[in-house]
Amino acid sequence: MERESPVRLFQNYLKSQGFNVTKVRCQITETLFSAPEHMTVADLWARLRNERNISMSTIYRTLDLLVEGGLIRKIDLGDAFAHYEPVLGQTRHEHLICTRCSKIVEFALPDIEERFFETAEHYGFLHQRHELKIFGLCPDCQKSSISQEVP
Amino acid sequence: MERESPVRLFQNYLKSQGFNVTKVRCQITETLFSAPEHMTVADLWARLRNERNISMSTIYRTLDLLVEGGLIRKIDLGDAFAHYEPVLGQTRHEHLICTRCSKIVEFALPDIEERFFETAEHYGFLHQRHELKIFGLCPDCQKSSISQEVP
DNA sequence: TTCGTTGCAAAGCTTTTGCACGAAT
DNA sequence: ATTCGTGCAAAAGCTTTGCAACGAA
């Protein structure tokens, strides 16, 4: 059995909420799901502007809809930009980020995640979500740090 | 034996780097260390402007120096503002944040922290730092959510 | 006196908003 | 035909920077 494509799911969401299904919205969704993860608005804009005239406002607005529809998640990767990652069929994961080249590795620690829920409960909080980021130097950047000092 | 005051430590740092020890820098440091944690630049500005005319630029610049000197840490608490917290004599901790009233609880999970180091190593990364944030509703906000619906 | 430092205003950056034109139903 | 969506430009909001006046050594 085939899984529904993200674009199809988004179309269903839009209809269910009384929003219009438009070409731009579908193109943004397709681009977001067909390319490197953790894209920023600028990334999407750079990829889409070849195909059509598109404004960043529209990208921001469409991404908001995708977030509300539960298809993507807005994440903070420690830089100045909002990043977006697919939620569909993804297991919950955290991010390991290279502070030199921005390379990102996804990892999961399911047993530890349980502790996060317990911690919230322990302080009487109702857990909503959590975010774990580990920053460091990736293997490549460690090598180049030796031969060629970072400015 | 008494511990050196933050202001004194900062003065030492400034001298060691050839920077001037100024009244403004000392006042900012004193205010930052004598009041609620996780302050923003605007918080500091509001507290200091009663005593003297001070610009946000200076606060930003002084905070940068305090970060470089290792006396404070710049942290992201999920809102639009940069927050700063003392490093001195603090044990490493993470943050539990109420998404409604922004209340913050600090907690530590030392055994789990070890796993973060291992995770970095496992992927060949050289660990530099990590950040864990748990978002949820604090006890008070859970109560008021029942009686009085959030808009 | 000599430089580093400060306050002010302007600029920078990402993101949001107002509005008239254009597209979807 | 009506309502919603889009592009453009301007505005917002936090942070940074240029510069002349000021203060520390």
Side-chain angles (χ1 to χ4, degrees):
Chain A
M1 168 188 148
E2 252 184 54
R3 204 176 282 274
E4 291 272 32
S5 79
V7 176
R8 184 65 61 84
L9 286 167
F10 188 39
Q11 290 174 346
N12 292 343
Y13 171 74
L14 289 171
K15 284 176 199 156
S16 76
Q17 301 296 309
F19 296 124
N20 287 349
V21 172
T22 67
K23 200 168 180 187
V24 180
R25 286 177 176 164
C26 294
Q27 282 182 312
I28 292 174
T29 307
E30 202 150 347
T31 304
L32 183 62
F33 276 87
S34 69
E37 287 165 332
H38 315 113
M39 272 199 282
T40 64
V41 171
D43 292 337
L44 277 166
W45 184 74
R47 279 165 188 267
L48 284 161
R49 75 170 323 190
N50 302 323
E51 303 174 31
R52 66 146 54 239
N53 192 4
I54 193 168
S55 82
M56 285 200 177
S57 322
T58 302
I59 299 179
Y60 277 108
R61 287 186 278 231
T62 302
L63 289 170
D64 284 348
L65 287 170
L66 283 160
V67 169
E68 282 159 29
L71 282 86
I72 65 174
R73 187 183 291 126
K74 183 177 183 174
I75 56 172
D76 164 26
L77 256 27
D79 55 18
F81 314 92
H83 295 252
Y84 297 84
E85 69 175 14
V87 168
L88 266 52
Q90 294 244 347
T91 51
R92 171 77 208 172
H93 63 261
E94 309 300 340
H95 299 96
L96 180 54
I97 305 162
C98 178
T99 53
R100 193 166 180 276
C101 72
S102 298
K103 187 183 302 160
I104 292 161
V105 173
E106 297 177 353
F107 66 92
L109 301 171
D111 54 322
I112 283 186
E113 203 168 284
E114 181 56 34
R115 294 285 299 279
F116 299 161
F117 289 101
E118 289 168 13
T119 302
E121 196 181 344
H122 177 263
Y123 291 100
F125 275 58
L126 181 64
H127 178 287
Q128 291 175 328
R129 66 181 205 278
H130 56 255
E131 240 176 63
L132 167 62
K133 298 192 279 277
I134 303 179
F135 295 93
L137 277 183
C138 73
D140 290 344
C141 289
Q142 287 176 58
K143 277 180 222 146
S144 45
S145 290
I146 298 168
S147 50
Q148 165 198 331
E149 212 52 45
V150 187
Chain B
M1 168 188 145
E2 254 185 55
R3 205 177 285 271
E4 290 271 34
S5 80
V7 176
R8 184 64 63 84
L9 285 167
F10 189 39
Q11 289 174 346
N12 291 343
Y13 170 75
L14 290 172
K15 284 177 199 156
S16 76
Q17 301 297 309
F19 295 125
N20 287 350
V21 173
T22 67
K23 201 168 179 185
V24 181
R25 286 178 176 163
C26 294
Q27 282 181 312
I28 293 173
T29 306
E30 203 150 348
T31 304
L32 183 62
F33 278 86
S34 69
E37 285 166 334
H38 314 115
M39 272 199 280
T40 65
V41 170
D43 292 337
L44 277 165
W45 184 74
R47 280 164 187 267
L48 283 161
R49 77 170 322 191
N50 301 324
E51 305 175 28
R52 65 144 55 238
N53 191 4
I54 193 167
S55 81
M56 286 200 176
S57 324
T58 302
I59 300 179
Y60 277 108
R61 287 186 277 229
T62 302
L63 289 171
D64 284 347
L65 287 171
L66 283 160
V67 169
E68 282 159 30
L71 281 84
I72 65 174
R73 188 184 289 128
K74 184 178 184 174
I75 56 174
D76 165 25
L77 255 29
D79 56 18
F81 315 92
H83 295 254
Y84 296 84
E85 70 177 12
V87 169
L88 266 52
Q90 294 245 345
T91 51
R92 172 76 209 171
H93 63 260
E94 309 300 341
H95 299 96
L96 180 54
I97 304 161
C98 179
T99 53
R100 195 166 178 277
C101 72
S102 300
K103 187 183 302 162
I104 291 160
V105 174
E106 298 177 353
F107 65 92
L109 301 171
D111 55 322
I112 282 186
E113 202 169 285
E114 182 57 34
R115 294 284 301 277
F116 299 161
F117 290 101
E118 289 167 15
T119 302
E121 197 181 345
H122 177 263
Y123 291 100
F125 275 59
L126 181 65
H127 178 287
Q128 291 175 329
R129 64 181 206 276
H130 56 255
E131 241 175 63
L132 167 62
K133 298 193 282 273
I134 303 178
F135 296 94
L137 278 182
C138 73
D140 291 344
C141 289
Q142 286 176 59
K143 279 179 220 147
S144 45
S145 289
I146 297 167
S147 50
Q148 164 198 330
E149 210 54 44
V150 187

